[in-house]
Amino acid sequence: MPPATPPRLPPPAAAPRAIAGAFVPDEVLVTLDGGAGVAAEVAAQFGLQVRSTRVSSLLGRTVARFGIPDGRPVGFVLAQLAGDGRLAARVPNHIFQLQQATGVVGYAFERIALDASKVSGENVSVAVIDTALDPEHPALAGRVAATFDALPDMAVKDRGHGTSISGLIAGHGSFQGMAPGARLLHARAFESGVSSTDVLLAALDWAADEGAEIVNMSFVGPENSLFSAACRNAMERGIVLVAAAGNNGPGAPFGYPAAYDGVIAVTATDVHDKLMQQANRGRYIDLSAPGVNVMAPIPGGVDAVTGTSFAAAIVSGTIANLMRAGETADPQALAALLARTALDLGPPGRDEDFGAGLINAQAAMAGR
């Protein structure tokens, strides 16, 4: 039998472009109208492999993940796909990382003026996109309303970061979170601290479809137009997005999704309201919150944790209390309220280190 004739590939329709940030080296993501059949046709024409397809409710199209079996650079393949009218978007499958620094003080409630005896967030749906969590931890047992595994083919090894984030938001009993009455939705999207755009899109779609009012995203990666569109569409549905600013230092590039317009970008401060040294800086920073040596649940107990991840969780839990108290759920209005009532830190006015300043729950609830 003669060997199969390889597909005739069209030349690039645009020059291969430099790609910012880390990405899966043998994959691209596209969106298209139609289903798996159209994806298969595109893959066959361009010498690609269909690795997954699914319909994104936030993007309103099918997301196809194509593998590149022959070693062509991702930028080259994206350039080849640029001329195909069947495709609405073509992006790298960017890699994102959790924002936890290595690190006992239970100071968070005091610093943000949130009365620990009155916190609730009852019936406010908060989704966490993170590692798996420890469902048997006393602080989380019986607290998780729904779960989703965006990595079903990968064994669960890591439960630490997700346990801490979910516990800071909705922990009860042995460890009280910021909003112990919240309806907690938990999506596993990370293993060994790493995820990809395709996985995060699936998790965000699930959170939106489950009725999340707040989504906590304690991770950072490069700008990606598909994930940007999904975040924008989620906010247009009224979902408040809270994200970690990043732990990569003053000279690091902007961290996404925190740097997307409308996403509440949170940096970390310590018990003295000093900025975490390794925090990202930039005009996209919105708010500061405790995130240096804050106590949080971990598998098997409680420990001090450090990172903008945990500051973001504290802000997510605080927002759940604001919603429970009757504050508007409109993302832009909430962000403006939190900025207006924050305690100014650093130079007078908004700055690239602290944003508008330290979140002040009491002032926000009073609407000052």
Side-chain angles (χ1 to χ4, degrees), residues 154-216:
M154 188 176 294
V156 175
K157 297 180 180 179
D158 184 5
R159 298 182 184 271
H161 197 272
T163 298
S164 296
I165 296 299
S166 289
L168 279 167
I169 294 171
H172 71 146
S174 64
F175 179 93
Q176 181 171 287
M178 300 290 126
R183 176 177 176 259
L184 183 63
L185 309 171
H186 193 94
R188 177 209 176 204
F190 283 82
E191 198 59 57
S192 300
V194 176
S195 188
S196 70
T197 305
D198 184 49
V199 172
L200 294 173
L201 282 170
L204 186 57
D205 265 322
W206 172 80
D209 293 343
E210 281 290 322
E213 296 163 84
I214 304 163
V215 178
N216 188 91

Side-chain angles (χ1 to χ4, degrees), residues 63-81:
V63 178
R65 179 168 57 100
F66 290 148
I68 307 169
D70 56 8
R72 279 172 288 161
V74 166
F76 187 85
V77 172
L78 291 174
Q80 287 185 312
L81 294 172

Side-chain angles (χ1 to χ4, degrees), residues 53-335:
T53 59
R54 65 176 188 84
V55 177
S56 167
S57 61
L58 287 172
L59 297 174
R61 288 186 168 95
T62 295
V63 178
R65 179 168 57 100
F66 290 148
I68 307 169
D70 56 8
R72 279 172 288 161
V74 166
F76 187 85
V77 172
L78 291 174
Q80 287 185 312
L81 294 172
D84 194 304
R86 294 168 294 184
L87 307 181
R90 300 149 297 274
V91 299
N93 194 8
H94 276 123
I95 292 172
F96 290 73
Q97 296 181 317
L98 297 171
Q99 294 301 289
Q100 176 172 1
T102 56
V104 246
V105 187
Y107 64 91
F109 283 103
E110 176 186 355
R111 294 312 306 147
I112 67 170
L114 184 61
D115 189 339
S117 67
K118 297 179 180 178
V119 292
S120 171
E122 185 179 3
N123 297 326
V124 177
S125 294
V126 184
V128 171
I129 299 176
D130 216 283
T131 69
L133 52 68
D134 177 6
E136 304 304 320
H137 195 291
L140 292 171
R143 298 297 307 123
V144 184
T147 61
F148 173 70
D149 191 349
L151 296 168
D153 299 325
M154 188 176 294
V156 175
K157 297 180 180 179
D158 184 5
R159 298 182 184 271
H161 197 272
T163 298
S164 296
I165 296 299
S166 289
L168 279 167
I169 294 171
H172 71 146
S174 64
F175 179 93
Q176 181 171 287
M178 300 290 126
R183 176 177 176 259
L184 183 63
L185 309 171
H186 193 94
R188 177 209 176 204
F190 283 82
E191 198 59 57
S192 300
V194 176
S195 188
S196 70
T197 305
D198 184 49
V199 172
L200 294 173
L201 282 170
L204 186 57
D205 265 322
W206 172 80
D209 293 343
E210 281 290 322
E213 296 163 84
I214 304 163
V215 178
N216 188 91
M217 300 183 291
S218 288
F219 50 83
V220 159
E223 198 282 331
N224 182 281
S225 60
L226 276 190
F227 200 55
S228 173
C231 289
R232 182 173 62 251
N233 292 344
M235 289 184 286
E236 288 177 356
R237 292 191 187 187
I239 301 171
V240 177
L241 302 183
V242 180
N247 302 343
N248 299 310
F254 284 10
Y256 295 88
Y260 293 140
D261 288 344
V263 176
I264 298 175
V266 185
T267 193
T269 52
D270 65 14
V271 67
H272 303 295
D273 299 336
K274 302 297 184 184
L275 190 68
M276 185 181 80
Q277 185 176 3
Q278 60 267 52
N280 285 32
R281 316 294 207 273
R283 64 182 182 273
Y284 70 98
I285 307 297
D286 291 310
L287 295 167
S288 308
V292 179
N293 285 335
V294 293
M295 297 303 294
I298 62 170
V302 176
D303 202 354
V305 295
T306 292
T308 57
S309 279
F310 311 109
I314 286 171
V315 170
S316 291
T318 302
I319 291 173
N321 280 278
L322 290 172
M323 288 185 175
R324 172 63 179 169
E327 292 292 345
T328 175
D330 176 73
Q332 290 185 331
L334 265 174

